[in-house]
Amino acid sequence: MRPPLPPFDLDSARAKVLAAENAWNTRDPERVAAAYTEDSVWRNRDEFFTGHAAIVEFLTRKWSVENGYALRKDLWAFSGNRIAVRFQYEWHDDTGQWWRSYGNEQWEFAPDGRMARREASINDVRIAESQRRIFGPRPEGDASPLPQQ
């Protein structure tokens, strides 16, 4: 079991989003993959894959190029066993160029609270280091929403 469990209410949906944010900010592919069903189906940008091994491989590859990765997620909507989020994360490439990635995710959960489906649409915007606004994991107790831009 991976509480909170569906069906979600406002508090449990917010808790699920924050738990996902916290896990992704560890940049630990195995820890993140543990929150998904064994046959979880993913779409990330233009990649489509299924299952734990593919999730771990994808995240390992992702975080090998997205240096200094720091993420924020916001609850957008929820109903039953589904949650929609918007997110922003910042990272730099091997040349030192900083990026802010903006995206939306749709999540569908199994009855045990693990995610069975994740679909993510993401766009990257080049930023100067001086434009950064996400500096590591969210401080304890910070529930501030993401800026509009």
Side-chain angles (χ1 to χ4, degrees):
M1 297 294 240
R2 300 274 310 191
L5 305 177
F8 299 108
D9 61 20
L10 181 59
D11 290 335
S12 63
R14 283 184 176 151
K16 200 66 151 177
V17 171
L18 184 57
E21 176 184 304
N22 290 338
W24 280 69
N25 274 322
T26 68
R27 297 184 303 273
D28 178 342
E30 294 288 346
R31 178 175 172 186
V32 172
Y36 297 86
T37 61
E38 292 297 325
D39 59 350
S40 185
V41 176
W42 278 39
R43 179 182 65 78
N44 195 87
R45 301 178 189 251
D46 61 347
E47 293 187 57
F48 298 81
F49 48 93
T50 301
H52 273 214
I55 292 168
V56 169
E57 184 280 325
F58 168 79
L59 293 172
T60 300
R61 184 170 30 91
K62 169 188 177 62
W63 289 322
S64 73
V65 297
E66 291 180 352
N67 304 300
Y69 177 95
L71 167 73
R72 294 291 183 276
K73 291 183 183 281
D74 274 344
L75 175 65
W76 189 258
F78 66 94
S79 179
N81 69 335
R82 293 182 174 153
I83 295 176
V85 300
R86 71 182 187 115
F87 62 87
Q88 296 175 20
Y89 63 89
E90 294 175 349
W91 57 281
H92 66 86
D93 61 27
D94 288 338
T95 71
Q97 173 62 58
W98 280 92
W99 300 87
R100 184 173 302 120
S101 299
Y102 295 89
N104 299 293
E105 293 175 315
Q106 293 79 48
W107 301 341
E108 185 173 26
F109 291 88
D112 70 357
R114 292 183 302 156
M115 197 179 302
R117 183 175 198 86
R118 174 187 176 267
E119 297 191 19
S121 297
I122 307 167
N123 300 304
D124 302 315
V125 176
R126 191 181 292 257
I127 62 171
E129 187 171 3
S130 63
Q131 294 175 297
R132 291 185 60 209
R133 57 180 177 235
I134 304 172
F135 299 94
R138 186 184 299 257
E140 182 95 16
D142 177 6
S144 59
L146 288 169
Q148 292 298 321
Q149 295 182 9

